[in-house]
Amino acid sequence: MIGRRVAFATLGCKLNFVESEEMQQLLRDQGHAIVPFGEEVDFTVINTCTVTGKSDFKSRRLISKARRTNPQGKIIVTGCYAELDPGILAELEGVSAVLGLGQERRLAQVMEDLWQGHAEKVAPRGESDARLSVLRRETNLSRAFIKVQRGCNNRCTFCRVWQARGPSVSEPIERILAQTALFLDQGFEELVLTGVDMGSWGKDLDSKRRFSDLLAQLVALQGKFRIRLSSIYPMDIDENVFNLLTEHQRVCRHLHLPLQSGSPTVLNRMGRHMSPDQFIDLTRRLHDAAGRFGIGADVIAGFPGESERDFNLTREVVERSAITYLHVFPYSPRRGTAAARFPDQLAPDTIKHRARALRELGEIKRAAFRASHPGGPVEVLVERRKDRKTGLLTGFTSGYLRVFFHGPDEWMGKLRRIDFSPGLSVG
């Protein structure tokens, strides 16, 4: 096939972005040109998310935008939304083909079939081959993301992701180490481990290794770098992971934990397996052991059957815990989930009100975390783009606090120890 111009648009989690980059690399290796979304192209690939109803809407809006931008171009839709609702997406105006998850290696062939005019609208499923070659990341990014697993062993009643991606499948440690070594050779100084159910890494492997074993092996590598963990389930933080998080200088003092609710009753209906008291204890232990430990949390506002008391329990858990910021999701029923069939759905105005209240509480927690920082010397990964408002260099501390500072452009993409005043330069 003659090399074509291809644009990508990606929604959702960090894993989705890694998988888009894997597909881009495959296409580059076959002679295709990857160009920015919005330019004139032969193909647009849209990697979708379906974690919320809003995610579905954003995916459809991107498809519409791609059609308007390139009315002669062909649109291929993939990702979790494409996996679960291929027929719905295939009916949208402008969509040429729908490709399910784990079929990345078939993308070029689907493009060829489309170009020849004999592709099926929903690409037939072949054997899944989600383990791709080691990724050569473009060097204009500040940090590198490493996929350690895909799929999820949890069966939360509100979630479609585990339905789309199936059970947890760990990447072999040899591939993870090879990927890490290549990124370090490329000069990346912050590596972010990512997956859908990251803490389950190793449970499906014959080696009987666990996530703490993987993390320990990575931090023992040579070079100047640090490791940040993306979202991880609280129950997967065993004592070995806890000790690495709080004692090893290479591991960022930052986690993102899905809490979802502070009510035991709601957590039980959600299919969650950690009590609110356990969550509070974990966050406080992290804070006490490391000091100014950045902890984000996901919470869902307005889950079916959530009473005013349940909602107040969530507020109480957020207030009592050592959380430093919140991601708030207004509940939206997802087709095919158990929660969508619960009879006690809440009114949209109630959900909206509770989401707003939780966001306000999250801002209070964020402000308190910023105010707690004394300033002075701190290690920062300098972003490759300056802050648009101030023109200053900007970056994140180990605890995920954004700071602004003066410095040469040569610092971009590097870990630097800088001295700053929190009153003027913390965001």
Side-chain angles (χ1 to χ4, degrees), residues 139-142 187-188 382-386 394 412-414:
T139 56
N140 63 336
L141 299 174
S142 302
F188 287 100
V382 185
E383 298 291 309
R384 291 187 180 271
R385 293 182 180 179
K386 293 184 178 181
T394 182
M412 291 184 179
K414 303 297 182 182

Side-chain angles (χ1 to χ4, degrees), residues 313-333:
L313 285 173
T314 298
R315 291 173 58 101
E316 181 181 332
V317 169
V318 172
E319 290 169 347
R320 291 175 54 202
S321 70
I323 289 171
T324 58
Y325 65 93
L326 286 181
H327 284 176
V328 180
F329 297 88
Y331 173 76
S332 60

Side-chain angles (χ1 to χ4, degrees), residues 24-69:
Q24 291 175 39
Q25 179 168 298
L26 285 171
L27 295 182
R28 286 193 188 97
D29 290 345
Q30 296 177 61
H32 303 288
I34 307 301
V35 300
F37 181 83
E39 291 191 9
E40 185 174 343
V41 293
D42 301 304
F43 294 94
T44 298
V45 179
I46 297 178
N47 193 351
T48 62
C49 174
T50 191
V51 69
T52 65
K54 188 175 182 179
S55 301
D56 287 355
F57 170 75
K58 287 182 177 180
S59 296
R60 295 191 298 269
R61 187 171 61 183
L62 263 180
I63 292 169
S64 178
K65 183 177 180 180
R67 176 178 55 82
R68 295 193 309 271
T69 303

